[in-house]
């Protein structure tokens, strides 16, 4: 069960969001905060896995709350849920340690997937935010030459060079044992890598993974 804290200055929005998330089996709302100060306090006193954080709040805003909470615990994941796609806001949030940034027009199931994504260690950025950045100078996603970005259900997911190697072998029809030999890894480790890739891409099995990879031209 993913324990979620809601931080937003609009009570109606907090209550509606709480109601929607309550109907999702693997997510539990454990607290609500009306400003950054309350979010910081609850992050320290409640067992919280993920915080849905608005940016524009009175007293202490979301940016300052992100700074304080991440200084207190890197383990707490923060997913910004805002109506603002302002380049500076997104950059500040990501730079201070936010694990994702989505907009309030997001669908409920997409939001649930985003929560699951940041909880599992992914950096999640909604497509509408990404499009804003494509027109600007800054980019909210941390990249390097060993990473491949792929869009899944409107979110950008990072795949490592090793992930791509494993996907290529799956497409080529190789067994776990064959992959282990070529990658100089234990067969159990290969199995774990495949499970992690399938999970982060929100797929069901290696057959879906192979189809997804070919369709999205991840492999040759």
């Amino acid at each position: 069960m993913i324990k979620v804290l809601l931080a937003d200055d609009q009570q109606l929005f907090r209550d509606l969001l709480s109601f929607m998330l309550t109907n999702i089996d693997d997510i539990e709302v454990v607290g609500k905060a009306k400003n950054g100060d309350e979010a910081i306090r609850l992050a320290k006193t409640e067992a919280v896995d993920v915080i849905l954080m608005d940016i524009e709040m009175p007293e202490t805003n979301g940016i300052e709350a992100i700074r304080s909470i991440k200084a207190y615990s890197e383990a707490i994941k923060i997913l910004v849920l805002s109506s603002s796609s302002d380049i500076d806001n997104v950059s500040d949030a990501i730079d201070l340690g936010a694990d994702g940034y989505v907009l309030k027009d997001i669908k409920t199931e997409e939001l649930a997937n985003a929560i699951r994504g940041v909880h599992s260690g992914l950096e999640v950025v909604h497509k509408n935010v990404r499009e804003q950045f494509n027109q600007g100078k800054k980019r909210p996603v941390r990249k390097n030459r060993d990473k491949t970005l792929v869009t899944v259900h409107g979110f950008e997911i990072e795949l490592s060079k090793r992930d791509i190697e494993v996907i290529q072998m799956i497409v080529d029809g190789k067994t776990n044992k064959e992959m282990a030999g070529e990658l100089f890894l234990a067969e159990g480790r290969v199995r774990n890598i495949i499970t992690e890739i399938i999970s982060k891409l929100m797929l069901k099995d290696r057959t879906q993974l192979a189809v997804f990879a070919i369709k999205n031209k991840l492999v040759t």
Side-chain angles (χ1 to χ4, degrees):
M1 186 71 73
I2 304 172
K3 299 183 183 300
V4 175
L5 169 65
L6 310 180
D8 194 286
D9 62 328
Q10 297 181 12
Q11 182 175 346
L12 178 59
F13 183 77
R14 290 197 307 271
D15 291 343
L16 287 172
L17 187 57
S18 177
F19 175 76
M20 289 188 296
L21 294 178
T22 298
N23 294 319
I24 299 174
D25 292 340
D26 59 339
I27 294 174
E28 177 187 3
V29 176
V30 296
K32 304 176 191 177
K34 65 177 180 292
N35 55 47
D37 287 333
E38 285 192 2
I40 295 167
R41 177 177 59 80
L42 290 172
K44 295 179 179 180
T45 59
E46 301 294 328
V48 177
D49 297 315
V50 177
I51 299 175
L52 294 186
M53 182 78 72
D54 191 17
I55 292 295
E56 298 175 358
M57 294 186 290
E59 300 178 34
T60 298
N61 64 27
I63 296 297
E64 290 304 316
I66 292 169
R67 187 197 307 274
S68 296
I69 292 168
K70 283 297 185 177
Y72 168 73
S73 173
E74 284 285 339
I76 298 174
K77 306 299 183 181
I78 300 178
L79 176 63
V80 175
L81 178 60
S82 175
S83 58
S84 171
S85 58
D86 177 76
I87 290 176
D88 290 331
N89 281 343
V90 182
S91 290
D92 289 345
I94 296 296
D95 288 345
L96 288 172
D99 302 280
Y101 200 112
V102 296
L103 300 181
K104 287 184 176 179
D105 62 356
I106 191 171
K107 295 178 181 178
T108 303
E109 186 54 37
E110 288 181 341
L111 178 59
N113 284 333
I115 292 170
R116 296 180 186 113
V118 296
H119 181 250
S120 66
L122 301 178
E123 185 180 74
V124 177
V125 180
H126 194 263
K127 61 182 179 181
N128 292 344
V129 176
R130 186 181 69 251
E131 287 167 1
Q132 291 284 342
F133 272 78
N134 285 341
Q135 300 170 11
K137 296 181 180 179
K138 300 179 183 178
R139 297 299 302 273
V141 179
R142 292 182 284 271
K143 295 183 178 180
N144 62 56
R145 287 173 292 179
D146 294 326
K147 299 288 185 180
T148 297
L149 288 176
V150 58
T151 301
V152 181
H153 299 307
F155 303 108
E156 282 193 338
I157 305 298
E158 284 189 353
L159 295 174
S160 67
K161 186 176 179 180
R162 172 56 56 82
D163 291 339
I164 297 298
E165 288 177 339
V166 170
I167 292 170
Q168 179 69 67
M169 292 180 182
I170 289 174
V171 171
D172 291 341
K174 294 184 178 179
T175 65
N176 289 358
K177 185 175 182 179
E178 289 172 329
M179 285 188 271
E182 291 190 28
L183 295 171
F184 302 101
L185 296 173
E187 191 172 341
R189 176 56 184 150
V190 170
R191 196 160 44 243
N192 289 340
I193 291 173
I194 294 171
T195 299
E196 290 168 4
I197 295 170
I198 290 171
S199 176
K200 74 167 70 173
L201 293 178
M202 305 175 199
L203 301 172
K204 293 182 179 179
D205 52 41
R206 58 197 295 157
T207 300
Q208 281 194 357
L209 175 57
V211 172
F212 178 89
I214 294 170
K215 182 178 179 181
N216 289 276
K217 300 180 180 179
L218 294 179
V219 295
T220 57

